[in-house]
Amino acid sequence: MNTKHLFSLTTIWYLAFAAAISLVVPIIFEELNLSDVSRIGFALFGINIVYAIITGIIVGARKQPAVYLLFFPLIYLGGVRLFFESYAYYFALVYIVVALLAYGATKK
């Protein structure tokens, strides 16, 4: 991947959506006073997994660099300490694997 692709508008969009999903969604759940079980179920197993799959499919279908798939888990790792317990760090690995599987399934 050359620097032209790294500093493009596409990169900014992937970073913005990754930040919104990994940081804004937990803030919304926190403000709604959801229980820990609901927050973990909806955020970690629901929204984040779906986002990882969709990102993998989009990046693979558009034949974009796979480095875009790392944005979400890295930003998630930065914000996990604010909203979740220590076990939630392991979900970053799950999100990377799921995104790469979706990426590989659509990449020809």
Side-chain angles (χ1 to χ4, degrees):
M1 179 173 174
N2 59 18
T3 57
K4 179 182 175 187
H5 289 291
L6 188 59
F7 298 110
S8 67
L9 186 60
T10 304
T11 304
I12 294 170
W13 277 109
Y14 280 111
L15 283 171
F17 277 108
I21 296 296
S22 61
L23 297 175
V24 175
V25 169
I27 291 171
I28 292 171
F29 286 161
E30 198 61 43
E31 290 299 316
L32 292 175
N33 291 326
L34 294 178
S35 69
D36 287 340
V37 174
S38 298
R39 209 170 13 148
I40 290 167
F42 287 126
L44 297 181
F45 291 113
I47 295 172
N48 290 356
I49 291 288
V50 170
Y51 178 74
I53 292 170
I54 290 172
T55 304
I57 290 171
I58 290 172
V59 170
R62 293 184 179 176
K63 296 178 177 48
Q64 295 173 329
V67 75
Y68 290 152
L69 301 177
L70 298 178
F71 293 162
F72 171 64
L74 291 176
I75 294 173
Y76 167 80
L77 281 175
V80 73
R81 188 174 180 102
L82 300 172
F83 304 108
F84 299 107
E85 301 296 325
S86 63
Y87 61 83
Y89 287 110
Y90 299 110
F91 282 96
L93 181 62
V94 172
Y95 300 146
I96 289 172
V97 169
V98 168
L100 287 174
L101 286 173
Y103 174 77
T106 57
K107 185 112 170 134
K108 292 183 179 180

